[in-house]
Amino acid sequence: MSNMSVFIQAYFLEDKSGFFSGEGKKTIDGERLNTDLQMILDALSKENHLVVSVTPITSSGYQTMGNHPYGVSYTEGLIVVARKA
């Protein structure tokens, strides 16, 4: 059996109505991430691979509002692990 992994990058939507540092609220484009995941699942299925797991990769950072920093986290992407059937 052969194992493999695939990284699927998440992308942001930009909401200009946000109020943090005037940059706007950042939201992951869940619809695009789902579409990208489905494309990978279909490709793996055609290659006779079975998906073992789908794991979100979370990144973090901080922003400052006035003199007050606060932490933020977001989904960087997904890792799909599969094995040859």
Side-chain angles (χ1 to χ4, degrees):
M1 273 187 251
S2 169
N3 294 324
M4 67 177 301
S5 65
V6 179
F7 177 73
I8 304 170
Q9 178 72 45
Y11 295 92
F12 287 109
L13 293 172
E14 188 70 32
D15 177 4
K16 300 293 184 181
S17 67
F19 58 89
F20 295 117
S21 305
E23 294 178 10
K25 182 178 112 184
K26 293 187 178 177
T27 303
I28 295 295
D29 185 345
E31 188 172 324
R32 179 176 177 177
L33 186 58
N34 183 61
T35 299
D36 293 347
L37 174 60
Q38 188 62 56
M39 286 180 10
I40 294 296
L41 295 176
D42 290 344
L44 289 169
S45 179
K46 283 182 182 180
E47 296 172 4
N48 204 27
H49 282 81
L50 299 173
V51 173
V52 175
S53 66
V54 177
T55 306
I57 303 301
T58 305
S59 293
S60 64
Y62 72 93
Q63 293 183 352
T64 304
M65 186 175 196
N67 291 331
H68 305 287
Y70 60 93
V72 294
S73 63
Y74 58 93
T75 301
E76 182 84 21
L78 303 171
I79 293 182
V80 179
V81 177
R83 70 168 190 256
K84 193 78 165 171

